[in-house]
Amino acid sequence: MMKALVFHGAGKPKFDDRPRPFVQSPTDAIVRVTKTTICGTDLHILKGHVPTVASGRILGHEGVGVVEQVGGNVANFCVGDRVLISCISSCGACAKCKIGMYSHCQKEGGWILGNRIDGTQAEFVRIPFADNSLYPIPTGANDETFVMLSDILPTAFECGVINGGVKPGDVVAIVGGGPIGIAVLMTAQFYSPAEIIVIDIDDNRLEIARKLGATQTINNSDGNAIVAVMKMTQGVGVDVAIEAVGISSTFDVCQGIVSAGGRIANIGVHGTPVQLNLDQLWSHNITLTTGLVDTSSTSMLLKTVASQKLQPSQLITHHFQFHQILQAYKTFGNAMQEKAMKVIISNDP
Ligand SMILES: [Zn+2]
Ligand SMILES: [Zn+2]
């Protein structure tokens, strides 16, 4: 048996005993999880907003660990290897995987961990398609840093920076200064935009944003972000507006500040419909992008971490032991009061 954080329906997470996972297919690996974290998506699941997650599911889609067992067809990893677990599992061979759209893997891959199959908030996890879904962690590296590469950094970079087409000299606005918004801020700087404006309602998060490279910040508690951004940009608006929350009011800010020819990149997980203001935008030459992360940038991001161009540990604010995971959920769920960004949950022997 092993310990795991199990979803028992809306509002009911439990720290339970569960059977240890085993190799079910020759492409599987079993990983002993040494560090994991909690994602905003896990909070959505606990509110009952993600219908694909059945009661009894072990949550979590981020983490690092040590390979405990491999199926007969796993070629790239051996027992004892330290690995980064991607939030996206992918077969690498189907039509969608062949074009790098791993999030839509047609062989029962995509975002399945902690969703359609048991996830990483456990002592052990089964990783399907291990050769394509795990990455080696360089020896000597601080492994908690790499937990940030399971989901938030590739998500921020691919769905925000790449989809938003951030270029040198651009004026970029990031709507939402949580972990994803801050990860956008960090990776947008690969491209040297002229301005990065971060908008949030939490002064602590805005202060972190300024430390990590935001050129301007706006506290939108008064709902005046659109007016403020238009004033900052002499009435022109921004080249790229990145939505990093997933509610209609933040999407509305993006619609209100995008300049003619600009781009809106949505990252947020939306639980309810939003209004698309085509009456104002139809003639505006804008581009709107959506998408789930493919984690196709993970290998590149690993190199930027190795060279310290990217320092993901700047996102980590709290540490817990695995048996304290319910407390970690409370802290992460009260992020504003607790001044929490990302929490690390350790399960070292
Ligand atoms: Zn996530
Ligand atoms: Zn596939």
Side-chain angles (χ1 to χ4, degrees), residues 30-328:
I30 305 300
V31 175
R32 178 169 61 79
V33 181
T34 53
K35 290 196 167 63
T36 183
T37 183
I38 304 168
C39 180
T41 307
D42 296 321
L43 300 183
H44 279 292
I45 294 170
L46 280 176
K47 286 179 187 150
H49 292 169
V50 186
T52 46
V53 182
S55 182
R57 179 70 64 238
I58 298 172
L59 296 185
H61 50 265
E62 297 162 90
V64 298
V66 179
V67 175
E68 182 80 8
Q69 201 188 343
V70 288
N73 289 352
V74 174
N76 298 346
F77 297 95
C78 304
V79 172
D81 285 353
R82 292 164 71 230
V83 288
L84 158 67
I85 300 165
S86 174
C87 67
I88 300 292
S89 310
S90 58
C91 77
C94 72
K96 295 294 185 195
C97 283
K98 289 282 190 195
I99 59 167
M101 202 186 282
Y102 306 124
S103 58
H104 291 276
C105 171
Q106 293 159 319
K107 269 180 117 183
E108 292 171 36
W111 173 44
I112 55 172
L113 281 178
N115 177 11
R116 294 173 190 277
I117 67 169
D118 284 337
T120 56
Q121 290 167 9
E123 290 180 83
F124 296 89
V125 61
R126 180 178 72 90
I127 304 297
F129 311 119
D131 277 341
N132 292 302
S133 312
L134 295 174
Y135 294 82
I137 291 181
T139 40
N142 173 6
D143 60 358
E144 72 178 31
T145 295
F146 292 90
V147 179
M148 304 297 115
L149 269 69
S150 287
D151 177 356
I152 62 165
L153 279 160
T155 296
F157 180 68
E158 295 172 23
C159 304
V161 178
I162 294 291
N163 284 356
V166 174
K167 301 190 304 300
D170 272 355
V171 177
V172 177
I174 300 166
V175 186
I180 288 285
I182 298 296
V184 173
L185 171 65
M186 292 164 79
T187 52
Q189 291 171 68
F190 292 159
Y191 294 96
S192 303
E195 297 277 351
I196 311 178
I197 305 163
V198 175
I199 301 164
D200 201 275
I201 53 169
D202 178 354
D203 281 330
N204 174 58
R205 290 187 159 183
L206 294 175
E207 192 187 321
I208 293 172
R210 283 192 295 276
K211 276 187 195 145
L212 297 181
T215 54
Q216 317 230 37
T217 56
I218 297 170
N219 187 319
N220 192 32
S221 304
D222 58 6
N224 273 332
I226 295 175
V227 173
V229 170
M230 294 316 279
K231 207 171 153 195
M232 280 174 186
T233 57
Q234 289 78 44
V236 174
V238 302
D239 300 301
V240 186
I242 297 172
E243 201 290 332
V245 183
I247 55 176
S248 64
S249 60
T250 47
F251 187 75
D252 286 344
V253 171
C254 293
Q255 301 190 79
I257 62 175
V258 66
S259 73
R263 300 171 292 282
I264 299 175
N266 183 82
I267 310 176
V269 177
H270 289 267
T272 52
V274 301
Q275 183 177 310
L276 180 61
N277 297 333
L278 276 182
D279 55 327
Q280 287 156 38
L281 296 172
W282 70 270
S283 62
H284 234 57
N285 303 45
I286 67 144
T287 303
L288 168 64
T289 61
T290 69
L292 182 64
V293 65
D294 290 311
T295 63
S296 54
S297 66
T298 305
S299 300
M300 182 281 287
L301 291 169
L302 278 162
K303 291 183 208 168
T304 66
V305 172
S307 70
Q308 298 199 359
K309 173 87 181 158
L310 191 63
Q311 297 182 359
S313 55
Q314 291 168 316
L315 291 157
I316 301 167
T317 54
H318 290 71
H319 290 83
F320 295 91
Q321 290 299 310
F322 188 49
H323 66 89
Q324 300 171 307
I325 190 165
L326 287 169
Q327 197 188 326

